[in-house]
Amino acid sequence: MTRPRILLISCALGLLAIASVASATSVLYLTDERQAELSTAVVVATVGTAVAADDAARGHILTRTSIKVEEILAGDAPPELTVIQTGGTVGNRTLHVPGDARLEHGERCVLFLRQVDGAWSLTALEQSKYGIEDSVFGERLRRPHLGGLFTYDADGALVPFEEPVKPVVTLQAFRARMAKVTGQSEAQ
């Protein structure tokens, strides 16, 4: 290979690497307790149908997903609500926010939710959703490994944060933790 061709290939590979890094989302790491404090509600819910549509006011696609609240672990929420997320598919156009949670129809999960100006959203993107699955331990919470997290160091500088590996957490144990955070008796 000639030197100019090697240089051209190297530049192309470098641009691909930059493009793949640029598609990530950086998020401030929040403990579950801090998320609960920032949330309007923490709920056990079942995900309903999702409808994506162009939002002319914002200039991008929004997805509205119906949520049926089974249990309120902290805060207050109506029995049914709609979570709004940036992204979705309309026609042949798809918009996805890396690091945002995917809400799957029929899935049972724990959600940290914020209500602002009447609209419900996830408090901290993907950090705000735990799937619920049956296990030998009872109902346990699961969440994929999270990347792109940051935290503040002792000097107040923003630094990358690697989420620690969490032990198996049952829904019952999580209920007790949320009750302690909010000062409520266990689950309403």
Side-chain angles (χ1 to χ4, degrees):
M1 253 190 236
T2 65
R3 184 174 171 92
R5 188 172 182 159
I6 292 172
L7 182 59
L8 179 63
I9 291 171
S10 296
C11 287
L13 290 173
L15 287 174
L16 285 173
I18 291 170
S20 66
V21 171
S23 70
T25 300
S26 297
V27 178
L28 186 63
Y29 172 74
L30 299 174
T31 65
D32 293 337
E33 289 75 13
R34 182 66 179 135
Q35 264 197 93
E37 292 168 358
L38 295 172
S39 297
T40 305
V42 181
V43 301
V44 174
T46 300
V47 178
T49 56
V51 177
D54 282 310
D55 186 294
R58 292 187 176 98
H60 53 256
I61 299 170
L62 291 181
T63 296
R64 289 170 171 78
T65 306
S66 65
I67 302 293
K68 182 177 181 192
V69 175
E70 297 177 18
E71 178 182 352
I72 299 171
L73 303 177
D76 193 33
E80 294 184 9
L81 56 91
T82 300
V83 170
I84 300 173
Q85 293 175 282
T86 298
T89 299
V90 174
N92 62 355
R93 295 179 311 116
T94 297
L95 173 64
H96 174 68
V97 176
D100 201 357
R102 293 184 188 265
L103 301 175
E104 303 291 336
H105 183 269
E107 178 181 29
R108 197 159 166 257
C109 53
V110 170
L111 299 173
F112 293 83
L113 301 169
R114 261 178 87 82
Q115 184 183 37
V116 177
D117 297 328
W120 291 89
S121 62
L122 297 173
T123 302
L125 299 172
E126 193 172 28
Q127 291 181 81
S128 296
K129 177 190 166 198
Y130 282 103
I132 300 173
E133 60 187 26
D134 290 325
S135 76
V136 295
F137 305 106
E139 293 178 309
R140 81 176 195 115
L141 304 185
R142 65 170 164 67
R143 180 170 68 194
H145 176 75
L146 303 175
L149 297 174
F150 286 80
T151 192
Y152 292 104
D153 68 11
D155 298 323
L158 206 54
V159 295
F161 179 80
E162 187 66 32
E163 184 180 37
V165 175
K166 293 183 177 183
V168 172
V169 176
T170 64
L171 180 55
Q172 188 60 35
F174 190 80
R175 282 183 183 110
R177 281 180 46 211
M178 291 299 103
K180 285 181 185 176
V181 169
T182 62
Q184 298 176 0
S185 61
E186 246 185 81
Q188 297 176 4

